Amino acid sequence: MAAPAVQGATSWVELPGGRRLPRAQAETYLALLQEQRRRHEARRTQTERDQILANCRTLHGFIREFWHVLEPVAPFRTGWALRAMCDHLEAVTAGHIRRLLITVPPGMMKSLLLVFWTAWEWGPKGMPHVQVLATSYSQVNCFRDNQKLRDLVTSEKFQALWPLTLRDDQNAKGKFVNTASGFSEARPFSKMTGGRANRVKIDDPHDTESAESDVQRAAAVRIMREAISDRMNDPTRDAIILIMQRLHAKDCAAVAKELGYVHLELPMEFEPARRCVTVLRPANDGNPAVLFEDPREKDGELLFPERFPRETVEELKRAKGSYAWAGQYQQRPAPREGGLFKRHWFEVVFALPVTATRKTRAWDIGATEGGGDPTAGVLMSRDGRDGLFYVENSIREQLGPAGVERLILNTASQDGRRCRVRLPQDPGAAGKAYAQSLALKLAGYELSIVAPTGDKETRATPAAAQAEAGNIKILATGDPAKDAWIEPFLDEVCTFPAGANDDQVDAFADAFNELALGPVHTTSITALAI
């Protein structure tokens, strides 16, 4: 209820409905009204007690029941991904998992999840004795979430179902203790020496800036290795939970993986080759193991469409760029300075030598509209005098089959008939038929149709060797609109093979190999005139 208005110096208070009372009487009246409402809520909770208790048998059900206590305005949105995280924390409570790593994109409610989990153990699970150390890179975040936990367990609804008393002498936002000897203590990750607990909850040990600093990242990794491992009361039974977004190939998550943590990995867009499978409960006493398996089937299928629909995801991808998307959202970070390729290897030049007459536009074809892999075409030339290579342009678009065909034909017309077109031929009869169909429509153009062999890294390695030697240049015009392709191209190339996309890399590697190795390397044909 909003604070009633004070009317002048007479200290009269206007109550809802227009009634006016002297301040002392109004305060007494409002206190009685608040008490009546509290009793009404307690009676309602008591009336629905059995159903609420049944709902709270699971962590997910508890979150649904108590969401409004911490988030009175924001609606509760759920999906299989939230249930999967809850299932893994339940496995920790049951003693089936003692070291848990969860890597998820930002915005997956991971901080609130850890708050609700402790309250669930203290309340519905009847474990108020559990002692918790909660940490994050930010002291502000630590205290914020500890305050939320205290608000939750002292709420009317929680207290009506699971009465829990906090000690007066230990009841601050940094640490509060209940009368069953359980406590929750919040401290920044940099201050994790000293103190022990049954649960060590680590929520984002790096911030996005410190993970880029070798010194600060190494300090966090050292704490993960040396300080966290002995923060437990009983190392044989107590648990460490690390939940974070990936920020670097050598971050704390990499340490946890090395140490054998159970790893729940949830990329925003599904990649079938990286399907996550974990053991929630090992086989015992003749009972089979209980497994979790990422339920998605289609490449690019979204993690949490209830909260992040396709349109939102595409906006995020454009805003974040290839490097941040690969780590924070797809959970496979690459060093910003480059994986197979380094950004500083590529010199930007503003003129093309007149002797750079050999040209090739190579394509990597996605042919999926609205999702999946984009189609990319990279134009390169080679100087016949000194042998240097130039990347002149890159096109990357999300199109269906008809759109891809139009794009290739229109681009070939713009590039001119002296520019060779290189197309991939996918395995099988359908791939051969598609390539032949495009070849007929490219009548009059020099054309190479090549069936890719070997893995993507192997095919890109020759280009990487020449780039490192300084033999591949990026051609710019000085016009920001015309040069807008350069940064996305370099982002993708320099995060390969761990980046979110590799379509431009494949086209770049094919264009380079066509120019470097020529017809000896490819099945070269001139499209028939019909």
Side-chain angles (χ1 to χ4, degrees):
M1 179 183 299
V6 178
Q7 300 294 327
T10 58
S11 295
W12 283 67
V13 176
E14 184 175 330
L15 301 173
R19 186 181 178 187
R20 297 175 68 246
L21 291 175
R23 175 173 295 278
Q25 293 182 26
E27 290 176 350
T28 302
Y29 171 80
L30 291 173
L32 289 172
L33 186 63
Q34 184 177 7
E35 177 64 16
Q36 288 177 353
R37 289 176 176 172
R38 186 195 65 79
R39 291 179 181 180
H40 173 75
E41 179 64 20
R43 286 195 299 271
R44 188 185 66 82
T45 302
Q46 193 65 34
T47 301
E48 301 175 6
R49 180 185 182 89
D50 291 345
Q51 184 59 54
I52 294 174
L53 291 175
N55 294 342
C56 293
R57 289 171 185 163
T58 66
L59 175 56
H60 182 267
F62 176 75
I63 295 173
R64 184 188 292 275
E65 278 287 346
F66 282 83
W67 177 261
H68 70 280
V69 174
L70 295 184
E71 296 290 340
V73 177
F76 176 63
R77 293 191 177 101
T78 187
W80 68 264
L82 179 59
R83 289 186 174 91
M85 292 189 285
C86 289
D87 289 346
H88 282 76
L89 290 173
E90 287 188 25
V92 174
T93 298
H96 302 313
I97 296 176
R98 293 191 302 108
R99 303 290 183 272
L100 176 62
L101 166 65
I102 301 177
T103 52
V104 292
M108 289 294 294
M109 305 187 296
K110 57 184 176 57
S111 298
L112 275 179
L113 176 64
L114 294 180
V115 170
F116 279 112
W117 178 49
T118 297
W120 182 71
E121 288 198 316
W122 281 5
K125 295 304 292 181
M127 301 167 62
H129 59 278
V130 167
Q131 300 176 344
V132 177
L133 284 176
T135 184
S136 172
Y137 75 89
S138 165
Q139 178 170 294
V140 172
N141 291 354
C142 293
F143 286 175
R144 175 202 66 193
D145 293 338
N146 219 39
Q147 179 67 55
K148 288 183 177 181
L149 175 59
R150 187 171 66 173
D151 291 344
L152 180 55
V153 299
T154 58
S155 67
E156 294 269 353
K157 187 172 182 178
F158 190 96
Q159 287 291 323
L161 295 164
W162 306 285
L164 184 69
T165 303
L166 301 185
R167 286 173 42 182
D168 293 335
D169 60 337
Q170 285 284 335
N171 188 5
K173 62 183 179 181
K175 181 178 181 179
F176 54 90
V177 182
N178 64 46
T179 54
S181 297
F183 65 75
S184 179
E185 181 177 354
R187 56 171 70 178
F189 193 68
S190 60
K191 306 292 184 182
M192 282 301 290
T193 54
R196 297 178 186 272
N198 308 115
R199 307 278 186 258
V200 179
K201 303 189 303 187
I202 309 168
D203 178 11
D204 277 336
H206 309 277
D207 67 17
T208 55
E209 298 303 320
S210 69
E212 290 295 323
S213 163
D214 290 341
V215 173
Q216 293 185 57
R217 187 181 64 258
V221 166
R222 178 185 57 78
I223 292 169
M224 183 71 193
R225 286 187 178 278
E226 299 176 8
I228 298 299
S229 58
D230 56 5
R231 292 304 96 212
M232 293 164 291
N233 292 329
D234 184 348
T236 66
R237 298 177 60 186
D238 296 335
I240 301 173
I241 300 88
L242 169 60
I243 187 166
M244 62 181 287
Q245 54 182 300
R246 295 302 305 273
L247 293 171
H248 195 278
K250 297 180 180 180
D251 56 17
C252 288
V255 175
K257 291 172 66 176
E258 178 188 330
L259 296 176
Y261 281 47
V262 172
H263 184 194
L264 175 61
E265 183 177 52
L266 299 175
M268 180 65 83
E269 294 182 304
F270 182 54
E271 299 174 5
R274 298 173 58 228
R275 184 189 298 274
C276 178
V277 179
T278 63
V279 178
L280 289 169
R281 188 190 69 194
N284 58 61
D285 298 329
N287 297 314
V290 176
L291 303 179
F292 162 79
E293 182 175 353
D294 191 316
R296 292 175 286 181
E297 296 294 337
K298 296 180 181 179
D299 189 20
E301 193 171 347
L302 297 181
L303 174 66
F304 200 176
E306 298 86 356
R307 185 173 173 86
F308 296 99
R310 171 57 64 184
E311 181 180 353
T312 301
V313 168
E314 293 303 322
E315 289 175 355
L316 285 168
K317 289 172 76 171
R318 289 192 294 270
K320 290 291 183 180
S322 180
Y323 175 81
W325 183 262
Q328 294 174 251
Y329 288 84
Q330 291 302 105
Q331 312 310 314
R332 46 178 174 80
R336 189 179 290 273
E337 67 273 12
L340 187 63
F341 297 87
K342 311 295 183 186
R343 187 175 286 259
H344 67 269
W345 293 348
F346 295 93
E347 179 188 4
V348 176
V349 299
F350 292 90
L352 189 67
V354 295
T355 47
T357 55
R358 289 186 58 205
K359 295 181 183 291
T360 292
R361 170 86 68 174
W363 292 93
D364 182 75
I365 299 175
T368 304
E369 191 169 9
D373 293 329
T375 291
V378 173
L379 174 64
M380 292 187 66
S381 56
R382 188 174 189 185
D383 191 338
R385 181 186 57 189
D386 57 19
L388 295 179
F389 299 85
Y390 295 84
V391 183
E392 296 188 38
N393 172 257
S394 180
I395 299 170
R396 181 177 181 271
E397 294 195 28
Q398 192 89 48
L399 300 168
V404 168
E405 185 175 296
R406 285 193 300 271
L407 177 65
I408 292 175
L409 296 177
N410 291 339
T411 304
S413 176
Q414 294 169 11
D415 291 340
R417 293 184 181 273
R418 295 181 60 186
C419 179
R420 177 178 286 270
V421 180
R422 173 165 165 149
L423 301 175
Q425 179 179 299
D426 293 336
K432 184 176 181 180
Y434 183 65
Q436 289 177 338
S437 173
L438 278 175
L440 290 172
K441 293 173 181 177
L442 286 164
Y445 293 92
E446 291 189 6
L447 178 68
S448 295
I449 299 177
V450 183
T453 59
D455 59 53
K456 293 174 180 286
E457 289 185 59
T458 299
R459 298 200 301 271
T461 297
Q466 289 299 311
E468 185 174 12
N471 294 332
I472 300 180
K473 314 295 183 182
I474 302 293
L475 181 64
T477 66
D479 182 336
K482 293 181 179 179
D483 296 339
W485 64 273
I486 295 176
E487 282 305 309
F489 172 79
L490 289 175
D491 275 349
E492 182 173 315
V493 168
C494 293
T495 54
F496 177 79
N501 299 102
D502 53 23
D503 317 281
Q504 295 181 96
V505 179
D506 290 343
F508 167 50
D510 286 347
F512 172 84
N513 289 331
E514 182 74 25
L515 290 171
L517 303 174
V520 174
H521 176 68
T522 66
T523 301
S524 179
I525 67 172
T526 298
L528 299 175
I530 56 174

